[in-house]
Amino acid sequence: MGSTSLAETEDPATVPPRPPEIQKLWEENPGARTYNASNAADFEDIRGGLASDEHIRLVEVSSLSSESRLLSLKFLSVRLDSTPEYSALSYTWGTPGVDPFNNINGYRFTPNLLACLSELMFQAPGLWWIDALCINQDDLDEKSQQVKKMRDIYARAHRVYVWLGPTWTDSNPNFNDGLAGMHILNRIQHLGSQGAIDNGGPPLKFANDQLQKLEFPEIDSPIWQGLVTFLCRPYFSRMWVLQELTVAKGDIFFMCGDMILNYHTIYNTIEFMKRQGWETPLLNLSEKYGLDTGLPAFDFIDTITLFRVHHQTHKEASLLSTLDHCRNYQSTDPRDKIIALLGIIAPEELALNELQPDYSQPASEYFREVTGALIMHHRSYHVLTMVEARCGDDNPLPSWVPDYGTRWNNPFHALQYIEESETAFDGQRIPGSNILRVSACILDEIETVSLARASIGADIDAVVMTWLSMAAVPWEADIWDWLSRAVDDQDGVWGKVDSFWRTLIGNQWVVDGLRTRDAPANCLYLFLGNVLKSRLKLEYREKSIGLMDAWKEKVDVERLVIDPLNSGEADAYRKLVLDSGAYNTFFLTKAGRMGLGPWTLQSGDKVTTLAGGNSLFYVRGGSERAKFVGHGYVHGLMNGSELDPERQYLNMNLE
């Protein structure tokens, strides 16, 4: 790529002429500044201060010479409400702790930004807004003020360019995944515009015979490896870019190296691949090539499309809902997991003082104040369902405050299980304090917690068998004797087996892609077939098959799955077991109930509901000083059927 530097002086004979409108702008703004120092040791920040809080900086990106790769940058301070035409850059800084800053004449560039600028100065010279250059990142006050304007900066930009990186990656500089990915996307768009595909006919299967008819490469071709690698590029999982593209009113272009595609091409081609059923085979290819991130570009396009619709129709979602949707997107600064979304949330929340960006405030304090403000503003404890499992007392966050900076997944956060509380919300929050005062009703106490937890990489079938053995302990029976008793409903075992398989999936089922309460009864048969039979030793198979035959008559449903190991419903049940068990463990309560909850649960933890809430929470300790442990599922308490209408609430301090 040739060397890249900042111009110390301009040579009118070699610098490409500026467009007339930009030249006029410089003549009208004699305060515009360019770097003019004799050496790096004499460097001073030539960007200059901003005239007021209403001003932003723009930078002119151009080449020093029409025949060289030397970069020229020139800065200008302008009012945001009267800017000249400019473009805004949407990109990723790089991998924190991995990609170093290059210090060139006092400015700090990541390798990704340098690569981008080396293309922009030829492909799109002109005025730009680029956060790393136009915001003084070392001035926390300026950074806090300028970040508030990013929504308007990207909305006012004439164009937004997305930089996906060079066509090659540092991890494999000899493999041009960007070229392959952009080629496939462009090819699909071209065929679609010619009516050769997606024309109302049968789906184009991801199979060699059909692909070759349209001159696509065979599935084993490195081109397809390049495509799935391209669809996993870091840009598609970064938090800040969601706001940048959501609010953009101008044209959006995606750049990879010197290749450019517009937003509609990216959107149309990814939607085409989903309609044709390519997502699953492409996921399989990504696993084959060791990519464990799925296909983030698919989720990214879905998210951007949803957010743009909300924004353009002035129906922005709440911060909680937006966080729910974006919790697994990443940012370099953990505070940005919230700050990056402020431009696309409901306006009434944006007005909350606690949400305003302040980079001088530690992340733990910012998270605490934001969480407290959301609880009190919505008079709801829903945000507590986002608290992740924690071990030890060294976490700086109060136990009731989510660590928004972590990647997170909990299968129960989306459903409010228990009936709407008849008691009014009465939570109390003292700003600046670690205490959240609530009214709690203790419903049960955890007695036994399984040491087997369904962590990533665990054998879920072995874990479930361990949990099943634990469920059978009160009857002093092994699992086979226990399940056999259930057929004749001996000692009330039938109801407990029913509780167990429903607990495994949180009593959820999927209808038309949405999770609903109250799984159908034939899931009992799926439980036996999919969990018990799938990976047991050969000597147990006969017992399992015999049990399933005996239970066919026991399950009173209109239809039973013929082959519980080879059906779409069997797969759906197994996925729910995997999702519900992930990051959780199984427990029994003193009242004999079964449940799932975070793996940090301990014997003696209380199952509670909070006044004004409609979820079950686990807490540890006494009412004066209690720790919030998490939330989950307890069979029998989720629909309110076992809740005492005369239940009593006590004051509790969560800290």
Side-chain angles (χ1 to χ4, degrees), residues 80-222:
L80 180 57
D81 58 5
S82 58
T83 58
E85 183 177 302
Y86 67 93
S87 300
L89 183 66
S90 180
Y91 71 111
T92 65
W93 280 35
T95 304
V98 176
D99 293 333
F101 282 101
N102 290 308
N103 192 311
I104 300 177
N105 288 349
Y107 286 95
R108 293 183 301 170
F109 299 88
T110 63
N112 192 45
L113 180 56
L114 274 178
C116 176
L117 293 173
S118 70
E119 294 294 342
L120 292 182
M121 65 183 180
F122 290 110
Q123 299 244 31
L127 287 177
W128 284 83
W129 190 88
I130 301 170
D131 63 347
L133 299 178
C134 296
I135 298 177
N136 184 349
Q137 302 292 328
D138 295 326
D139 185 334
L140 297 183
D141 290 336
E142 176 184 308
K143 182 178 178 181
S144 298
Q145 285 296 326
Q146 290 289 297
V147 162
K148 296 178 185 178
K149 304 183 191 313
M150 287 181 63
R151 170 175 172 157
D152 291 335
I153 289 171
Y154 281 88
R156 290 175 177 271
H158 189 67
R159 300 180 186 86
V160 173
Y161 282 80
V162 171
W163 173 250
L164 297 174
T167 55
W168 42 265
T169 61
D170 289 336
S171 60
N172 192 352
N174 297 318
F175 181 59
N176 211 316
D177 68 288
L179 181 62
M182 297 287 270
H183 167 75
I184 289 289
L185 297 181
N186 197 41
R187 175 70 177 159
I188 291 173
Q189 177 72 6
H190 173 73
L191 291 172
S193 66
Q194 300 296 314
I197 57 175
D198 209 21
N199 51 14
L204 176 65
K205 293 183 179 180
F206 194 74
N208 282 332
D209 57 339
Q210 296 201 33
L211 293 175
Q212 290 172 3
K213 289 178 182 178
L214 295 169
E215 299 182 1
F216 282 114
E218 293 186 356
I219 294 173
D220 289 336
S221 167

Side-chain angles (χ1 to χ4, degrees), residues 431-509:
S433 164
N434 283 344
I435 294 176
L436 175 67
R437 179 164 293 178
V438 300
S439 292
C441 176
I442 298 175
L443 304 174
D444 206 342
E445 182 176 323
I446 294 173
E447 185 171 59
T448 308
V449 180
S450 175
L451 296 178
R453 58 188 179 99
S455 58
I456 293 178
D459 184 340
I460 187 64
D461 294 311
V463 170
V464 168
M465 291 300 291
T466 300
W467 293 350
L468 185 59
S469 297
M470 180 174 150
V473 167
W475 281 262
E476 298 181 352
D478 65 24
I479 59 174
W480 302 108
D481 181 37
W482 195 61
L483 293 173
S484 298
R485 291 188 200 180
V487 177
D488 300 322
D489 200 13
Q490 299 177 29
D491 305 320
V493 173
W494 170 260
K496 292 301 180 181
V497 171
D498 185 72
S499 297
F500 181 80
W501 71 258
R502 290 185 184 276
T503 298
L504 282 183
I505 58 175
N507 203 18
Q508 304 174 76
W509 194 242

Side-chain angles (χ1 to χ4, degrees), residues 55 119 228 245 299 308 335 383 398 462 517 520 638-639 653:
H55 280 66
E119 294 294 342
V228 296
L245 298 196
D299 178 72
R308 284 177 66 85
R335 291 167 291 195
V383 68
R517 301 190 220 179
M638 307 312 294
N639 59 8
N653 293 326

Side-chain angles (χ1 to χ4, degrees), residues 554-609:
K554 182 68 177 177
V555 182
D556 183 19
V557 292
E558 296 180 358
R559 172 184 54 83
L560 283 175
V561 178
I562 295 175
D563 186 350
L565 294 181
N566 296 285
S567 71
E569 284 189 332
D571 292 340
Y573 181 85
R574 182 171 181 78
K575 185 177 188 307
L576 282 174
V577 173
L578 290 167
D579 289 349
S580 299
Y583 308 101
N584 286 314
T585 193
F586 178 77
F587 62 82
L588 301 175
T589 72
K590 282 191 172 181
R593 298 185 178 100
M594 302 179 188
L596 290 177
W599 57 269
T600 50
L601 283 173
Q602 298 176 9
S603 176
D605 289 346
K606 308 298 192 297
V607 180
T608 69
T609 183

Side-chain angles (χ1 to χ4, degrees), residues 329-503:
Y329 282 78
Q330 302 173 45
S331 65
T332 302
D333 188 322
R335 291 167 291 195
D336 286 340
K337 295 292 286 285
I338 294 174
I339 295 172
L341 298 177
L342 296 183
I344 53 177
I345 63 172
E348 61 270 18
E349 287 189 335
L350 185 58
L352 295 174
N353 288 331
E354 292 86 351
L355 270 62
Q356 303 311 307
D358 180 0
Y359 285 99
S360 64
Q361 187 179 29
S364 58
E365 292 183 13
Y366 182 63
F367 290 170
R368 181 192 65 198
E369 296 307 303
V370 166
T371 304
L374 292 175
I375 290 172
M376 301 309 297
H377 176 72
H378 291 287
R379 301 184 68 78
S380 166
Y381 296 113
H382 178 65
V383 68
L384 301 186
T385 66
M386 302 178 73
V387 174
E388 72 291 346
R390 295 178 191 159
C391 185
D393 297 322
D394 56 349
N395 194 304
L397 290 170
S399 64
W400 51 273
V401 176
D403 185 351
Y404 301 100
T406 62
R407 294 177 66 89
W408 168 87
N409 178 46
N410 190 302
F412 305 119
H413 78 280
L415 291 181
Q416 297 172 330
Y417 282 98
I418 66 174
E419 299 300 317
E420 290 291 337
S421 176
E422 298 177 357
T423 55
F425 174 90
D426 64 353
Q428 298 178 43
R429 171 82 182 98
I430 302 174
S433 164
N434 283 344
I435 294 176
L436 175 67
R437 179 164 293 178
V438 300
S439 292
C441 176
I442 298 175
L443 304 174
D444 206 342
E445 182 176 323
I446 294 173
E447 185 171 59
T448 308
V449 180
S450 175
L451 296 178
R453 58 188 179 99
S455 58
I456 293 178
D459 184 340
I460 187 64
D461 294 311
V463 170
V464 168
M465 291 300 291
T466 300
W467 293 350
L468 185 59
S469 297
M470 180 174 150
V473 167
W475 281 262
E476 298 181 352
D478 65 24
I479 59 174
W480 302 108
D481 181 37
W482 195 61
L483 293 173
S484 298
R485 291 188 200 180
V487 177
D488 300 322
D489 200 13
Q490 299 177 29
D491 305 320
V493 173
W494 170 260
K496 292 301 180 181
V497 171
D498 185 72
S499 297
F500 181 80
W501 71 258
R502 290 185 184 276
T503 298

Side-chain angles (χ1 to χ4, degrees), residues 306-346:
L306 175 67
F307 286 1
R308 284 177 66 85
V309 170
H310 286 170
H311 181 70
Q312 292 166 7
T313 57
H314 305 290
K315 296 180 180 178
E316 289 91 347
S318 68
L319 177 59
L320 285 183
S321 176
T322 309
L323 280 169
D324 252 0
H325 199 97
C326 304
R327 187 69 183 272
N328 288 327
Y329 282 78
Q330 302 173 45
S331 65
T332 302
D333 188 322
R335 291 167 291 195
D336 286 340
K337 295 292 286 285
I338 294 174
I339 295 172
L341 298 177
L342 296 183
I344 53 177
I345 63 172

